[in-house]
Amino acid sequence: MTKDIVLCFDRFFIKPIMVLLKSIEISNPNETFVIHIVFSGAGEKESLKKLLQNLVSKDFFTFYFYEIDEQLLASCPIRKGDYVNISTYYRILLPTILPSTVERVLYLDGDMLVVDSISELWDIDLENYGAAVVPCIHYDNEQEFRRLQLNVNEGYFNAGFMLINLNYWRTHDTQNKTLAFIQDYPDRCKKHDQDALNYILSGKLLYLSICYNFQRIFYEKGFIFSQKLVADVNAAIDKICIIHYCDLEKPWHKECFHPLKEVWGYSAQKIPYLNFKKKFKYTGMKKFKFIIKNFLVNLGLVKKSDVEYTVNFEQISKKLIDKLEVL
């Protein structure tokens, strides 16, 4: 079985995608992968192809590129102030974009980093499941379920990681059902296609450990999450496989205070010609406030972040970087 991975993005995520791909190579030195790139950017396909094909060993990745017609997603809402753009909906179209010979594919968001082997994912039995997924922080949030009119016992997943059974999606017309749900119930889809996919795939999901979609918020002091996830949260810290930097400020932003941002930075430095330099995410008053706060932080007058965690992320960050250095 080929190990197919799909990445969907636009020109704003090219550098993060390069870092993600490099992290896959570093963490899986004895594997080969087929990478499907779903991209919107008229006239940029050839330059993107050259950029990514020069990124890693030709024996490691086989690339296929697909341009997308965003008119197919005309009914998918992007509201003023949304933290995502239309590219978040590309994954809905995978059953028709990807060749029929691709029966399962690992979808990863562009703000992720792979820090351990992912080869075992292709051994998972997906028969009768639409996808293997990881719980979201809203796993049994009754408010979310009332909004979507879902059974709370079915759980709720974060769509940044999906091991998709494309055979199931094609047989059950998941693509068109999801698009129809978004068009018919746009007010329910506060979290865009993630809400729609949770509704359409409800009851047909195989839940995996959060180590495959590791989010720092699970370890924030005072944060209340599902009691069903306690054991998994406690165990995941020692077997982190994929980090999801799903905060608004990413590791490539100067404003980022993510406790594992240095792990992403280490992977970025493995691409010398990337010329990775952090940039400001915000402008105007937000940028000014950050500069003042950072100045006070450097003077030791204020804390870098008010967030406290139940685990020592500084130690975990060092451990992950040390592991990557060995690979």
Side-chain angles (χ1 to χ4, degrees), residues 182-199:
I182 293 169
Q183 184 170 6
D184 293 343
Y185 306 104
D187 292 339
R188 288 197 211 173
C189 297
K190 302 297 185 184
K191 296 180 177 64
H192 310 94
D193 63 312
Q194 177 171 288
D195 280 342
L197 287 168
N198 267 277
Y199 184 89

Side-chain angles (χ1 to χ4, degrees), residues 113-268:
L113 195 74
V114 176
V115 294
D116 206 346
S117 171
I118 54 175
S119 61
E120 67 278 3
L121 291 173
W122 281 267
D123 296 327
I124 294 173
D125 184 1
L126 285 182
E127 188 173 1
N128 298 322
Y129 290 107
V133 296
V134 172
C136 179
I137 56 174
H138 304 292
Y139 182 70
D140 60 1
N141 184 323
E142 291 187 7
Q143 183 177 345
E144 302 291 337
F145 286 87
R146 284 196 299 270
R147 172 170 55 81
L148 288 173
Q149 298 183 21
L150 272 175
N151 184 338
V152 69
N153 294 321
E154 296 295 346
Y156 185 93
F157 71 92
N158 179 288
F161 167 101
M162 291 188 288
L163 184 63
I164 300 171
N165 181 349
L166 285 175
N167 284 341
Y168 178 95
W169 282 38
R170 291 174 181 129
T171 301
H172 294 84
D173 199 21
T174 298
Q175 171 179 307
N176 291 324
K177 287 179 180 177
T178 303
L179 290 172
F181 183 85
I182 293 169
Q183 184 170 6
D184 293 343
Y185 306 104
D187 292 339
R188 288 197 211 173
C189 297
K190 302 297 185 184
K191 296 180 177 64
H192 310 94
D193 63 312
Q194 177 171 288
D195 280 342
L197 287 168
N198 267 277
Y199 184 89
I200 298 301
L201 295 173
S202 179
K204 293 297 181 180
L205 296 166
L206 176 64
Y207 278 92
L208 305 180
S209 167
I210 65 169
C211 73
Y212 292 112
N213 190 345
F214 186 88
Q215 301 168 53
R216 59 97 194 157
I217 196 170
F218 278 112
Y219 300 87
E220 190 175 311
K221 282 186 177 178
F223 180 78
I224 300 174
F225 55 86
S226 171
Q227 289 302 302
K228 298 175 185 177
L229 301 178
V230 171
D232 187 16
V233 170
N234 290 337
I237 199 72
D238 293 320
K239 55 178 183 177
I240 301 172
C241 184
I242 302 174
I243 304 171
H244 192 179
Y245 297 94
C246 51
D247 302 63
L248 294 180
E249 297 80 21
K250 307 299 182 184
W252 51 91
H253 294 139
K254 288 187 176 183
E255 298 94 335
C256 178
F257 290 120
H258 194 288
L260 295 177
K261 66 179 181 180
E262 301 303 333
V263 185
W264 192 94
Y266 174 84
S267 297

